Amino acid sequence: MIGAGNVATHISRHFHAQQHRIDCVFSRNLESAERLAAELGSLATSDPEKVPRKADFFIFCVPDQAVRELAEQFRGRQGIWLHTAGALTMEVFNGICDEYGVLYPLQSLSRERNIRMGHIPFLVEASSSELLELIRDLAFSISERVETVDSETRLKVHMAAVFANNFSNHMVYVAQQIMETAHLNPALLGPLLEETFLKLKKLDPQRAQTGPAVRGDRETMNKHRELLKDHPEWEKMYTFISRDIERSRE
């Protein structure tokens, strides 16, 4: 396991639970490697030279920009090399190793939260059809939802995930800031947020949409924009998204 952060922690725990043996956890931060390796009964190291020369899989769970740089440090090791990134092509390994692919979990993962891995989609890709079957088998050992998706399509899925997860999370952050400036507990928004996501399990997002933009209530929207005049970026965001909601109804 190359990396010991959020993704590495979650998939390592689930591989370990399914009796896969993880021989080594490498991280530039030795403390992080030791913490994860202690759970897995593995070697922990921050020295690339101490990583075994051969394994079934070398799984890179590191930031996108670090994959190629780290891969160069592991040249000559025999095994199937995988990365877990949504926006990175598998060709990042081309010219460094012979067998490579992608094992991308379509989920927001934080090591502080336990999560059931079995229903999380894994998008996989491989440099050959023979390798693809091995990678699919590996993914199916911890999840019942495995899809073969090429790099171009996976990038689109990753962008959709940014809209669905990262942007919606930021919107909640902004909402919390607004509540706090009104000296109100942001927890008041809890039931609303819960219903928002529960409703999306039953309804198409366009049908589920409510609010002043859907109604064309410009008077209310103008009042909101006036309240945001001290936060011009939030006002721009409010205006742009409201317009996009209106356009989606046309």
Side-chain angles (χ1 to χ4, degrees):
M1 189 63 60
I2 312 301
N6 292 326
V7 176
T9 297
H10 277 281
I11 67 172
S12 292
R13 286 170 176 168
H14 286 82
F15 282 140
H16 182 65
Q18 294 303 317
Q19 308 304 311
H20 293 286
R21 188 180 75 247
I22 299 175
D23 289 333
C24 178
V25 176
F26 168 89
S27 175
R28 288 169 169 170
N29 183 322
L30 182 57
E31 183 179 346
S32 295
E34 289 175 338
R35 182 172 57 244
L36 179 56
E39 294 186 39
L40 309 171
S42 307
L43 167 70
T45 185
S46 58
D47 181 358
E49 292 303 314
K50 293 183 179 179
V51 174
R53 306 297 300 181
K54 186 175 182 180
D56 293 326
F57 295 94
F58 292 86
I59 305 179
F60 288 72
C61 302
V62 296
D64 293 18
Q65 65 271 20
V67 172
R68 181 78 185 189
E69 176 191 350
L70 277 174
E72 292 283 0
Q73 297 182 38
F74 292 100
R75 276 184 179 273
R77 285 170 173 77
Q78 298 179 8
I80 302 170
W81 293 26
L82 305 175
H83 73 67
T84 57
L88 195 65
T89 71
M90 67 175 176
E91 277 71 28
V92 68
F93 293 129
N94 193 21
I96 300 178
C97 63
D98 296 327
E99 300 180 318
Y100 53 84
V102 176
L103 181 73
Y104 169 55
L106 183 53
Q107 181 57 278
S108 173
L109 299 172
S110 299
R111 70 179 127 198
E112 297 84 4
R113 282 184 53 79
N114 292 322
I115 192 168
R116 291 190 304 111
M117 194 68 73
H119 71 289
I120 293 175
F122 275 79
L123 309 187
V124 301
E125 187 179 12
S127 56
S128 72
S129 56
E130 293 79 12
L131 288 184
L132 181 61
E133 291 308 308
L134 294 175
I135 297 169
R136 285 178 61 85
D137 287 345
L138 179 68
F140 271 124
S141 72
I142 58 173
S143 175
E144 60 194 28
R145 304 177 68 180
V146 178
E147 299 284 346
T148 302
V149 176
D150 63 33
S151 291
E152 183 180 356
T153 304
R154 178 164 34 83
L155 178 59
K156 294 175 182 177
V157 174
H158 186 263
M159 181 173 64
V162 168
F163 273 92
N165 176 252
N166 304 140
F167 288 177
S168 61
N169 191 78
H170 183 69
M171 293 298 177
V172 175
Y173 165 77
V174 171
Q176 288 178 337
Q177 299 305 300
I178 293 170
M179 293 290 283
E180 287 175 2
T181 61
H183 306 291
L184 292 171
N185 188 344
L188 287 170
L189 297 172
L192 173 65
L193 290 171
E194 183 177 3
E195 174 60 14
T196 297
F197 288 99
L198 286 174
K199 188 160 55 175
L200 288 173
K201 292 184 177 182
K202 302 285 186 179
L203 297 176
D204 178 271
Q206 194 172 33
R207 285 186 60 206
Q209 188 66 265
T210 61
V214 169
R215 301 191 300 270
D217 185 352
R218 300 194 180 282
E219 182 177 352
T220 296
M221 288 190 283
N222 287 337
K223 290 178 181 177
H224 289 168
R225 281 193 287 265
E226 179 64 22
L227 287 173
L228 293 170
K229 64 183 180 181
D230 292 333
H231 299 278
E233 294 303 316
W234 294 356
E235 182 184 0
K236 290 176 186 176
M237 188 162 56
Y238 181 99
T239 299
F240 183 83
I241 294 174
S242 294
R243 287 176 180 170
D244 204 51
I245 291 172
E246 289 182 289
R247 291 191 192 102
S248 74
R249 312 299 290 189
E250 294 175 356

